[in-house]
Amino acid sequence: SSSITAYTSAATNVVNRPLVAWLQWNQHSPGGAAFELSQVTYKKQLVEAAGGRNVDGEAVMKAVSGMVAVDAVTGNSQAGKTYRLPSVDNDGNKSQAAKALFAALADVDVIIDERYASEPASYTFDSALAQYFLQNTSSLKFVQNKMIIRFDGTLGAGGGWDWLESRLSSPDWAVEGLARALHGDSTKAKKYFRNVAKGEQPDVISAASCSKELPSCNAKAVPAYITMLTEVSMTATTTKEAGSSGASGASVVAAAAATAMSALMALSL
């Protein structure tokens, strides 16, 4: 269960847990372009596992006129919420909407900027500031401390985001990568997340990066297990077979189920 251990132990020694908000300007948001504060369940779980705290979306909504909450996945309340602030509710003024939003996010330590960029390497600290009508002299903590993070930090040779691929089966990699970014922990591997405020660039994975021979190249090669999902299944099965292990067994199943939920929730969004 090394993957489960990695997922649950990434923040074991963390003392100070920064307050985190997942944010973007979504030009194609249902109902019109809007700023979106994401409180999707798997994202909140990632933050907590990586040693952070999630901003209170309900409190932000109460503080910002015109902000509304909707299910992140229509009809599935367990998937979490998305809080939208359309610029139309601020006289169509995007900069005024941003000002109102960031007044409510004054205590946030870290922004995870979800804004899509077709060329991630060209998306910089200045790009992020411009999206949110901010200056590098802003007194907001995440600006002063240069804590604007993105998840386009691992790319394929063609520019595809690995966040949308390997993360689905290996959420433990995402937790480690986020823990590194949140706490500046260089002992953890850089994966998916990069701090644009500190000038970090995406890493590119190419065919030369692959160290395992693939079955398509050699008929004798054996496909690798999808580790996280395999280990969750094995842990739950073993615990069930133990039967009489009582509370200890139940806790293992609960941990396995929670980890599986992280992976499966990621698949749905």
Side-chain angles (χ1 to χ4, degrees):
S1 60
S2 59
S3 295
I4 295 174
T5 300
Y7 187 101
T8 57
S9 64
T12 301
N13 298 317
V14 170
V15 176
N16 297 314
R17 293 178 173 262
L19 189 62
V20 179
W22 299 71
L23 193 66
Q24 70 168 322
W25 168 255
N26 187 352
Q27 188 68 35
H28 305 290
S29 181
F35 287 106
E36 293 184 343
L37 172 65
S38 178
Q39 298 260 275
V40 172
T41 302
Y42 84 85
K43 294 175 184 175
K44 293 175 68 177
Q45 290 174 339
L46 285 177
V47 168
E48 291 166 1
R53 296 175 293 129
N54 291 288
V55 70
D56 185 338
E58 289 295 311
V60 173
M61 182 173 66
K62 289 178 181 178
V64 181
S65 176
M67 182 170 259
V68 297
V70 298
D71 286 343
V73 177
T74 303
N76 182 3
S77 60
Q78 292 185 340
K81 297 288 186 182
T82 298
Y83 295 86
R84 293 184 179 135
L85 178 61
S87 61
V88 69
D89 290 324
N90 288 271
D91 299 321
N93 191 319
K94 183 180 174 182
S95 64
Q96 286 299 109
K99 183 178 179 180
L101 177 60
F102 286 112
L105 296 175
D107 292 332
V108 168
D109 299 297
V110 181
I111 290 292
I112 299 179
D113 175 22
E114 300 190 80
R115 172 71 168 166
Y116 176 74
S118 58
E119 297 182 7
S122 299
Y123 194 100
T124 65
F125 185 32
D126 288 339
S127 305
L129 293 175
Q131 287 295 326
Y132 302 116
F133 293 88
L134 297 172
Q135 302 293 323
N136 59 14
T137 54
S138 169
S139 61
L140 290 167
K141 290 193 285 186
F142 62 85
V143 175
Q144 287 300 301
N145 296 326
K146 294 189 174 181
M147 291 300 292
I148 299 181
I149 295 169
R150 289 178 58 79
F151 49 73
D152 57 4
T154 309
L155 305 176
W161 295 19
D162 197 28
W163 169 261
L164 301 174
E165 299 183 25
S166 67
R167 171 190 58 89
L168 303 182
S169 59
S170 301
D172 54 317
W173 294 356
V175 168
E176 182 175 13
L178 182 55
R180 170 194 168 276
L182 290 183
H183 307 292
D185 187 350
S186 61
T187 67
K188 299 188 184 301
K190 180 186 176 187
K191 188 69 173 177
Y192 310 121
F193 295 95
R194 66 182 179 109
N195 188 328
V196 293
K198 294 181 178 178
E200 289 186 344
Q201 285 288 306
D203 295 329
V204 178
I205 300 173
S206 66
S209 305
C210 185
S211 59
K212 183 176 178 60
E213 192 168 30
L214 301 179
S216 59
C217 300
N218 183 347
K220 295 182 179 180
V222 179
Y225 286 113
I226 298 178
T227 310
M228 174 64 91
L229 299 183
T230 302
E231 290 179 349
V232 167
S233 177
M234 290 175 64
T235 302
T237 301
T238 301
T239 305
K240 181 178 180 181
E241 290 173 351
S244 61
S245 57
S248 177
S251 64
V252 175
V253 171
T259 308
M261 180 62 74
S262 294
L264 294 175
M265 190 66 72
L267 287 170
S268 69
L269 297 171

